Amino acid sequence: MLYERSAFELAELLRNRKCSAVELLDSVKKRAVELQPSLNAYISFNDNAAKAAEEADRRLAQGGDVPVLCGIPVAVKDNISVKGLRTTCASKMLENYVPPYSASAVELLEAAGAVIIGKTNMDEFAMGSASDTGIFGAVKNPVNTSYSAGGSSGGSAAAVAGGAATLALGSDTGGSVRQPASFCGVAGFCPSYGAVSRYGLIAFASSLDRIGTIGKNIRDVQLLHNIINVTDPRDVTNNHNFFSEHSFHSLKGVRIGIPEELFGDMVSDDVKTAVIGAVKLMESEGAVIHDISLPSLSSAVKAYYVISSAEASSNLARYDGVRYGFRAEGCSSPMEMIRKSRTEGFGDEVKRRILLGTFVLSEGCSDSYYKRAALFRQRLCREFDEIFRSCDAVVSPVYPEAGIKLGKGKRLADIYSADICTVPSSLAGLPAVSIPCGTASDGLPIGLQLIGRRYGDNELLSIAYCYEVAGGVYHG
Ligand code: GLN
């Protein structure tokens, strides 16, 4: 079936006219519609997709230098703006918001002839870990629907894993591309901060937010990343001056750091076994394993939640019911209108982060919370810099558990603490990728995380690719 194939294979078929973009879209869309009741991966489908596929076929028929993703169906997380297509952030606040412009990443995809198939479900404003905090309901894991697809880019990961999209864009602030990719058994890449323009990505925490890519394998996430990895003056933090082109062609001599702190008691036996198995495989391929330590790790989750919530409280101040978004009815004063709009428009998790963020920034508190977290972040960056003097990549689990069971109430503190493996690279702005490395005893996929040096995105993906080809779980 066409929907089962990787983007790399499909690009070849399309170029050789063995299938058309219209046929491919048809196959993937049918699959998406069929899976929608069980997975809930999409919030909306793009009515213009068929037209885009026809246009892609015209370009492919002309031949010549056609971009590699021309005709490939790509799903876009619903916090990334697509002009004319409802972009909700899974929030009542933006339930009817139709952006007047597209994100740079989306413009680049469309210019390359990719077909935007629809907008994917997520946690409200990307805050969460199970894609269950939004107004459209939880996203289910295609491997086992009593489990979450992960979050917050759960819809994007579930769509790719189920064949309901060939590729997908997600956003990653503290792990939201890597963790759902790990849960659903696909690859997820979060590039260095500054690699991909955030223009048109609806802000959660601006110093941490990144647009990442999800695909069936490393080659696929790289194909998609290469299209959107372009300097854009509309995002001042988007800077390509320092990126290195270096890459590895085998694991021979590649220095892999294993942080002891990320293999502790909080990690389940299944996950530990799979990740240690992956490390052994790398070693057998010639990689050199170094035991390393990241002493600051114990405070990483706290710092992440302080910084991300502080930034969220400021970013989300714009939703006042005045200019756009939800506006409460029947208010007698502007203040009441703003208060009611925010009370009714935001869900509990978003309100919690706004309250926490406002508190840590408030007078008398900011020194002991926000400033301390910012200083800690600098220390963590230095620790990583030191590690990357003697290592080419750091390996860890993506998440302490193979999955999250839906509807099983968990303590909030436990949900936040479980971000321990993904938030360190988020705080440090480093590229990180999640690749399948095994299966838990209950059949859920397990992901391996590889973290690379700052601006060494190419190098990191080359190491991940070598691992995948050497015998990691490899799809096409
Ligand atoms: N679980 C993290 C949080 O809730 C990650 C979110 C993200 O990366 N968007 O903040």
Side-chain angles (χ1 to χ4, degrees):
M1 290 295 188
L2 288 175
Y3 70 76
E4 292 166 313
R5 305 218 176 194
S6 69
F8 188 82
E9 283 179 301
L10 288 166
E12 189 86 3
L13 293 177
L14 287 165
R15 248 193 325 273
N16 299 328
R17 307 308 288 145
K18 295 259 171 54
C19 80
S20 72
V22 169
E23 279 165 353
L24 172 58
L25 175 67
D26 211 45
S27 167
V28 175
K29 177 76 189 283
K30 271 209 186 97
R31 177 77 175 161
V33 170
E34 181 186 305
L35 290 180
Q36 185 59 16
S38 56
L39 300 186
N40 197 21
Y42 281 92
I43 289 176
S44 46
F45 289 108
N46 178 11
D47 291 337
N48 298 320
K51 239 193 277 150
E54 283 164 22
E55 177 56 29
D57 276 331
R58 268 192 294 278
R59 275 172 88 170
L60 286 156
Q62 278 167 9
D65 209 4
V66 185
V68 57
L69 290 189
C70 188
I72 302 285
V74 181
V76 176
K77 186 177 179 179
D78 212 24
N79 59 350
I80 301 175
S81 306
V82 180
K83 186 177 172 177
L85 253 194
R86 194 165 72 116
T87 296
T88 68
C89 281
S91 179
K92 183 169 174 186
M93 189 54 94
L94 291 177
E95 195 174 357
N96 299 310
Y97 172 64
V98 179
Y101 64 93
S102 283
S104 300
V106 170
E107 278 181 359
L108 289 163
L109 280 182
E110 286 179 333
V115 176
I116 308 289
I117 168 166
K119 306 296 300 291
T120 54
N121 202 352
M122 54 184 281
D123 280 298
E124 186 178 7
F125 281 98
M127 298 171 191
S129 300
S131 294
D132 60 354
T133 65
I135 56 165
F136 299 103
V139 183
K140 317 240 170 75
N141 194 319
V143 181
N144 179 341
T145 50
S146 52
Y147 281 84
S148 157
S152 63
S153 312
S156 289
V160 171
T166 305
L167 294 168
L169 291 184
S171 70
D172 193 312
T173 303
S176 279
V177 160
R178 292 161 279 163
Q179 185 255 39
S182 165
F183 284 8
C184 295
V186 290
F189 176 51
C190 174
S192 287
Y193 184 82
V196 175
S197 170
R198 287 176 296 113
Y199 180 79
L201 166 68
I202 296 178
F204 162 9
S206 309
S207 78
L208 296 155
D209 292 343
R210 301 181 223 172
I211 293 183
T213 55
I214 297 178
K216 290 195 173 63
N217 56 39
I218 293 295
R219 212 158 32 179
D220 275 18
V221 295
Q222 189 154 25
L223 281 180
L224 184 55
H225 174 70
N226 286 346
I227 305 273
I228 58 175
N229 179 28
V230 172
T231 310
D232 175 15
R234 293 175 294 188
D235 173 1
V236 288
T237 62
N238 175 232
N239 188 339
H240 282 248
N241 291 337
F242 309 108
F243 280 82
S244 138
E245 288 302 312
H246 180 257
S247 61
F248 288 100
H249 301 288
S250 85
L251 289 174
K252 211 156 183 205
V254 174
R255 298 162 305 169
I256 301 287
I258 310 291
E260 49 171 351
E261 296 89 348
L262 290 180
F263 289 80
D265 286 347
M266 79 287 185
V267 179
S268 76
D269 288 345
D270 279 349
V271 171
K272 237 184 258 177
T273 307
V275 174
I276 290 171
V279 172
K280 290 206 173 115
L281 176 67
M282 289 183 192
E283 198 172 15
S284 71
E285 293 288 315
V288 184
I289 309 301
H290 291 270
D291 289 326
I292 56 164
S293 172
L294 271 164
S296 295
L297 215 72
S298 55
S299 304
V301 168
K302 286 177 241 166
Y304 166 79
Y305 277 92
V306 166
I307 293 171
S308 63
S309 303
E311 294 183 19
S313 74
S314 150
N315 274 324
L316 272 61
R318 72 190 67 171
Y319 303 105
D320 53 10
V322 176
R323 287 156 297 182
Y324 51 81
F326 173 76
R327 178 183 296 178
E329 299 287 328
C331 302
S332 51
S333 71
M335 273 322 282
E336 188 191 348
M337 192 274 286
I338 294 174
R339 190 177 328 112
K340 257 186 114 184
S341 299
R342 289 171 69 80
T343 305
E344 291 170 20
F346 290 133
D348 287 350
E349 186 58 29
V350 171
K351 283 183 195 154
R352 194 160 21 238
R353 310 264 181 136
I354 294 174
L355 286 173
L356 174 63
T358 308
F359 171 74
V360 299
L361 289 176
S362 60
E363 206 183 329
C365 287
S366 68
D367 277 1
S368 34
Y369 293 99
Y370 183 74
K371 282 191 191 142
R372 237 169 105 191
L375 281 173
F376 161 83
R377 185 179 191 176
Q378 286 174 3
R379 201 164 72 214
L380 182 73
C381 288
R382 283 197 297 271
E383 284 175 20
F384 268 120
D385 285 348
E386 194 53 39
I387 284 171
F388 281 109
R389 281 174 205 267
S390 53
C391 291
D392 301 305
V394 171
V395 164
S396 79
V398 177
Y399 201 73
E401 307 272 346
I404 297 175
K405 192 133 194 181
L406 282 166
K408 207 169 152 211
K410 263 195 153 182
R411 274 186 35 202
L412 204 64
D414 292 338
I415 298 177
Y416 290 177
S417 308
D419 287 337
I420 179 69
C421 306
T422 47
V423 296
S425 63
S426 300
L427 287 165
L430 306 177
V433 64
S434 158
I435 349 168
C437 71
T439 313
S441 47
D442 53 8
L444 291 175
I446 294 173
L448 169 81
Q449 176 173 241
L450 286 154
I451 303 172
R453 67 183 84 236
R454 192 185 320 272
Y455 306 131
D457 299 41
N458 236 4
E459 188 178 83
L460 173 70
L461 287 169
S462 72
I463 296 171
Y465 180 67
C466 291
Y467 163 73
E468 194 179 63
V469 173
V473 184
Y474 180 69
H475 308 269

